[in-house]
Amino acid sequence: MQHAPLAYHDVKTAADRIAGRVRPVAVAPTEPGAFGDVEVRLALELLQFTGTFKARGALNFVEAHREAGTLPEAGVTIASGGNAGVACAWAARRAGARSTVFLPATAPDVKVRRLRELGADVRLVGSEYAEAAAACEEFAARSGALASHAYDHPLIAAGAGTLFEEIHRRVPGLDTVVVAVGGGGLLAGVATAARAHGVRTVAVEPENCRALHAALEAGRPVDVPVRSVAADSLGARRVSADALAVAQDDSVRPVLVPDAAIVRTRRLLWEERRLAVEHGAAAALAAVLPPEGPGHGYRAEPGEKICVVLCGANTDPADLAA
């Protein structure tokens, strides 16, 4: 569906709509000198309700429809590999609405249990996300349920952008915000808000989940293969049109990181800070650590003030145990 390009006004409207209903982001400093002469802070969005930033977009989506009187009796429905479905079910429950979430039959039991705890009607269909998405689309057409999306919707992206508004208030003089990119909802919202404040955005992808890079090369969203340790959260086969549009602006720097750096960074976050994050969240920080090879990561300027978004914590910490 075509819609007007995402604008800063959309983010501001979302911020007003969900104010007091989400957990304000905590921003933590890193040790002086840990990144040389670059000042790095961590936005701990992994502490958000449902464990990821996706609560913001889901709540904005549901509340916008509730305010407009367009939230149907059949509730909302979404196809998801996990995080977006949990956020949608959480937001629907807050609004007193029903939720129907379609997952591949291969979905982890822990995610299925969490969805059911939130009152969702869980439908397990097929072995891949595409099959669950097709079943969700058919269900929405048949039942009249309101179809949401994991990332490709202006209300979802605008809700994600509210995170930057909070970061900007907490970090005076911020030069750069660093976010991981899957389908691009977080990038679209954050970069739209950051650009309005004159702040650069670094968009980080695993080198083998490079939907944004492929879209920039092609000039349009295109399908890509997905092979990365972070594919469970960053494994979208194509980015949204909004993500591509913001990434074409000079204020956005797309970079790649290898899986080895993601794994190493995730372990460092646990061993040095006792933060258990998803591989997708670790990808963002991996981009500002010393690179593991030419062409990887982001080279900050001396004195640059950076905030890295740690976007999610829905992970199995078993492999972090010493």
Side-chain angles (χ1 to χ4, degrees):
M1 181 185 299
Q2 295 290 327
H3 59 262
L6 193 68
Y8 180 54
H9 169 76
D10 299 318
V11 177
K12 291 289 289 179
T13 299
D16 291 341
R17 181 178 289 125
I18 69 175
R21 298 176 179 178
V22 294
R23 183 170 287 153
V25 68
V27 177
T30 57
E31 298 82 351
F35 295 85
D37 53 4
V38 176
E39 182 181 338
V40 176
R41 302 193 187 190
L42 305 178
L44 305 181
E45 187 66 358
L46 73 162
L47 302 177
Q48 187 53 259
F49 296 126
T50 78
T52 73
F53 74 94
K54 288 184 179 290
R56 296 173 180 270
L59 189 60
N60 188 47
F61 177 86
V62 170
E63 287 298 318
H65 282 281
R66 186 185 64 79
E67 291 171 5
T70 53
L71 191 57
E73 179 66 25
V76 295
T77 187
I78 190 171
S80 169
N83 288 343
V86 170
C88 181
W90 171 80
R93 187 175 71 169
R94 281 190 60 104
R98 298 163 59 185
S99 62
T100 305
V101 180
F102 288 80
L103 300 174
T106 53
D109 289 342
V110 63
K111 292 182 178 179
V112 174
R113 287 197 303 272
R114 179 60 178 143
L115 284 164
R116 287 176 175 154
E117 288 169 0
L118 289 166
D121 178 1
V122 180
R123 310 283 181 94
L124 301 175
V125 179
S127 60
E128 296 183 356
Y129 170 79
E131 294 172 276
C136 180
E137 183 177 353
E138 188 277 332
F139 172 79
R142 174 170 47 83
S143 69
L146 178 66
S148 185
H149 195 279
Y151 60 87
D152 194 3
H153 192 285
L155 288 170
I156 299 294
T162 65
L163 171 61
F164 182 80
E165 291 296 286
E166 296 178 16
I167 291 172
H168 187 254
R169 289 195 296 270
R170 287 162 174 74
V171 188
L174 180 65
D175 297 304
T176 305
V177 60
V178 183
V179 297
V181 181
L186 181 62
L187 169 64
V190 165
T192 295
R195 182 174 55 196
H197 292 285
V199 174
R200 178 188 304 110
T201 302
V202 174
V204 185
E205 292 183 290
E207 60 184 355
N208 292 320
C209 282
R210 53 197 303 159
L212 178 63
H213 276 74
L216 287 167
E217 292 166 3
R220 59 185 175 85
V222 293
D223 286 343
V224 297
V226 172
R227 295 185 301 272
S228 170
V229 69
D232 61 333
S233 56
L234 303 183
R237 292 195 175 274
R238 66 167 55 198
V239 295
S240 68
D242 281 326
L244 173 58
V246 297
Q248 290 170 324
D249 188 89
D250 289 342
S251 64
V252 176
R253 307 279 181 86
V255 302
L256 296 170
V257 291
D259 273 10
I262 294 172
V263 171
R264 177 171 63 95
T265 302
R266 180 171 173 266
R267 179 161 289 279
L268 282 172
L269 281 166
W270 173 250
E271 292 178 347
E272 297 183 4
R273 296 178 174 85
R274 280 301 184 255
L275 294 173
V277 303
E278 299 176 18
H279 286 96
L285 184 59
V288 300
L289 289 171
E292 296 206 344
H296 290 121
Y298 174 68
R299 272 65 167 182
E301 297 295 327
E304 190 169 340
K305 185 179 287 189
I306 296 175
C307 186
V308 178
V309 176
L310 300 182
C311 58
N314 289 334
T315 186
D316 182 353
D319 59 345
L320 295 172

